[in-house]
Amino acid sequence: MDVKPTIKKNNNITCNIAFTRYEIVKHVGEKIFGWKLSNDEEDEKWDILWTDCAVPPEKLAKMHPYQKINHFPGMYAISRKNYLAMNLSKLKKKFPNEYNFFPRSWLYPCDLNDLKLFMQNKKNCYLIVKPEASCQGRGIFLTKKLDSIDPNGRFVVQEYLNKPYLIENLKFDLRIYVLVAGCDPLRIFVHEDGLTRFATEEYSKPTQNNFEDMCMHLTNYAVNKNNPNFVHNEDPDDDDSGHKRSLQSTYDHLSEMGYDVEALKKSIDDSIIKTLCSIQPTLAHHYRSCQPEDTANAMCFEVLGFDVILDSKGRPYVLEVNHTPSFTTDSPLDWKIKKHVIRDALVLMNITSRERKAYLKKQKELILKRAVTGKLEKDSKEERQIKSNLLKQKRDRWEQKHLGSFRKIYPSESTEVYQKYINYANDMYQEWTGGNLAKSKKVLIQEKEKEREREREKIPRKVQSVKDVKEQKKHQIIEKNKDDEIMRTRCSSIPILVSPTETERPNNTVFERLSKPSIKKYKSSRAPIFPPLVYYDDNNKPINAKQLHPTARIINGYFDSKALINRNIGFKMMAPKVFQFVFEKNSDGQ
């Protein structure tokens, strides 16, 4: 039953529909919501973008906080058949009793050995082989021989359910529309409207005579619509006839047959939640990597199509998950149901122009503040958490009043039951990406630091009195004075060659400065106690560098006398040593 929400048309919202081919999406945006439609692929000034393709992380990273897009980066983890089988199989190994809602699956050729072992133990078992990246039933076939599978291809092989529940002796599956409105944490809604798709040939167990009849064993609309037996539904109100019917009509039929429909819905809801729990870490990682400052958890949403089949006992099995379910409208029933699904999903997302105006106003304030203060302030982690909680409460109130035909299945009162699945999926994701290595290293470092702190706490600390502190400072001063006195004693042993007080200044004429190069003074790093050195001859005149070179000799043998006239060597580097130079007269009496 359709619950029509109250919708106020708003022509201030721009919806970019350049990347979708479905007329029903354009109709809902323009006629029901009154939005402006943009067909420009280069246009980035939109409030909502609806696309039929997967969204790369780069697209989400460039979006503004007020913008919304109808896909999550990373949803391929369940929309591709191989990834769905891989992720569900991982959790089934850990929780075999909880994850038993999908057929036994193998990845070909990776799991070929396990598949051979299964075929040896279970003879006359038919397998259904699906290309890992196909859709609309293309390339699917049944077989009971592994030799018939292309060894160079990549497939998902499943055990064929040969005892399905039948209506009018026809095999069918349920297309259930699921809205994922947030990923961190998950927000999941299931629509009451959906479709039941029937095969066009009466069912019988697969044999050598009929296993190639795809119109008997497959329920895909794209496979069966070309069969002459296919009956189209011409009246949207007559939704329990033809080979495509409403989901509600199937529930009514099951209720008449004595099945507990509410229990069936809960079982399907449980399977949907567990399926999404298996990829929650992947979705959250992509989302937070692209939008680390987002606190609303509402920039992405996605309408998924879950394909569910019932066995002869009415037990549901998840076959596939479609991240871009077909919104073609070949019949009035298609138009009616898909219009309601898209409309109710957009109402729940609460797309308004207020968010854009508030964002632009805040940006202007930040630019002005940065121009005045020169600083770019960001919210702290605690402030972001408070803001996130407020937005969550506001969103809960909105969703409670605008569910339409959706029902909220997560979060709910039993949220804690599913947390263990998310935690294990997160551990598997960290192991797969190598994030657990960095995390374990960080934890190890933190543990070592804590251990050091505990050891420091065990050592008793000596409390010093004021008197002890004064005595310690006094002792340090005495020791410093002793060192200074020792250095003065060492410096006093330098010969009388050093006479800085009685020196005659060299002639300051240009000729004298050019003919007699100036002699560098010895500067020590211990400047307060080591005097500068100027070298003089016996007549108390400064010695020329040319005279100094042949007569200088090092007593202690620490460095070559040639260094005295090398201008590239700083005398400060020689400071730690004390030198005594003896000048001997040469044969000329100099």
Side-chain angles (χ1 to χ4, degrees), residues 287-515:
Y287 190 86
R288 292 303 172 196
S289 298
C290 298
Q291 294 291 337
E293 300 298 325
D294 179 64
T295 56
N297 187 31
M299 293 181 65
C300 296
F301 68 98
E302 191 152 358
V303 178
L304 301 173
F306 274 72
D307 292 342
V308 178
I309 192 171
L310 306 180
D311 64 8
S312 57
K313 298 179 180 179
R315 182 182 175 184
Y317 288 85
V318 174
L319 297 179
E320 295 178 9
V321 181
N322 299 273
H323 79 109
T324 53
S326 173
F327 285 111
T328 54
T329 53
D330 294 338
S331 68
L333 183 63
D334 274 333
W335 179 272
K336 174 184 175 182
I337 291 176
K338 294 175 182 178
K339 181 183 73 173
H340 294 167
V341 171
I342 297 172
R343 179 200 65 193
D344 293 348
L346 294 176
V347 169
L348 270 178
M349 294 310 298
N350 191 19
I351 303 168
T352 64
S353 58
R354 292 191 300 270
E355 296 180 6
R356 171 166 34 88
K357 294 176 181 178
Y359 169 76
L360 296 176
K361 182 179 178 182
K362 185 178 179 180
Q363 289 299 109
K364 290 180 180 178
E365 293 175 353
L366 289 175
I367 293 172
L368 181 61
K369 193 172 183 179
R370 185 176 183 179
V372 174
T373 63
K375 296 180 180 179
L376 181 61
E377 296 183 358
K378 291 185 178 181
D379 295 336
S380 64
K381 186 176 180 180
E382 292 75 14
E383 290 173 340
R384 289 200 302 270
Q385 186 62 42
I386 293 172
K387 189 182 295 185
S388 177
N389 293 335
L390 293 175
L391 291 173
K392 180 179 177 298
Q393 294 173 6
K394 181 180 178 181
R395 191 175 184 184
D396 289 338
R397 292 192 296 269
W398 173 268
E399 290 173 349
Q400 189 65 29
K401 296 179 181 179
H402 300 84
L403 283 173
S405 296
F406 276 107
R407 67 176 185 275
K408 190 175 185 178
I409 63 173
Y410 190 92
S412 62
E413 297 177 355
S414 58
T415 299
E416 296 181 359
V417 176
Y418 299 98
Q419 191 60 43
K420 60 181 180 182
Y421 309 132
I422 295 177
N423 293 339
Y424 184 74
N426 184 58
D427 294 340
M428 297 298 294
Y429 180 76
Q430 296 295 334
E431 181 179 350
W432 183 55
T433 57
N436 58 340
L437 298 177
K439 186 177 179 181
S440 60
K441 186 177 181 180
K442 184 178 180 181
V443 171
L444 184 61
I445 294 173
Q446 291 176 351
E447 289 178 353
K448 288 183 178 180
E449 288 293 332
K450 291 180 180 179
E451 186 176 354
R452 291 195 192 99
E453 290 179 1
R454 287 194 295 268
E455 290 178 356
R456 293 193 198 103
E457 292 175 356
K458 291 179 181 179
I459 300 174
R461 295 183 179 180
K462 184 179 179 180
V463 181
Q464 293 182 335
S465 63
V466 177
K467 185 177 179 180
D468 294 337
V469 174
K470 289 181 178 179
E471 288 293 333
Q472 187 176 358
K473 289 183 177 180
K474 187 177 179 180
H475 180 72
Q476 291 175 355
I477 293 171
I478 293 171
E479 291 294 328
K480 184 179 180 183
N481 292 336
K482 286 182 180 180
D483 294 339
D484 294 347
E485 187 66 27
I486 292 171
M487 287 303 301
R488 288 192 188 95
T489 303
R490 293 175 64 183
C491 292
S492 64
S493 63
I494 299 175
I496 196 63
L497 292 172
V498 178
S499 178
T501 57
E502 301 176 2
T503 61
E504 291 183 6
R505 281 180 167 272
N507 196 340
N508 202 25
T509 64
V510 175
F511 176 77
E512 290 291 337
R513 280 186 282 133
L514 292 175
S515 60

Side-chain angles (χ1 to χ4, degrees), residues 60 83 111 125-126 135 183 189 205-206 230 232 238 258 267 312 369 389 436 456 471 519 522 550-551:
L60 177 59
Y83 285 115
D111 301 331
C125 176
Y126 275 88
C135 60
C183 65
F189 302 82
K205 288 184 179 182
F230 189 87
H232 289 273
D238 183 21
S267 181
S312 57
K369 193 172 183 179
N389 293 335
N436 58 340
R456 293 193 198 103
E471 288 293 333
I519 300 175
Y522 190 99
T551 61

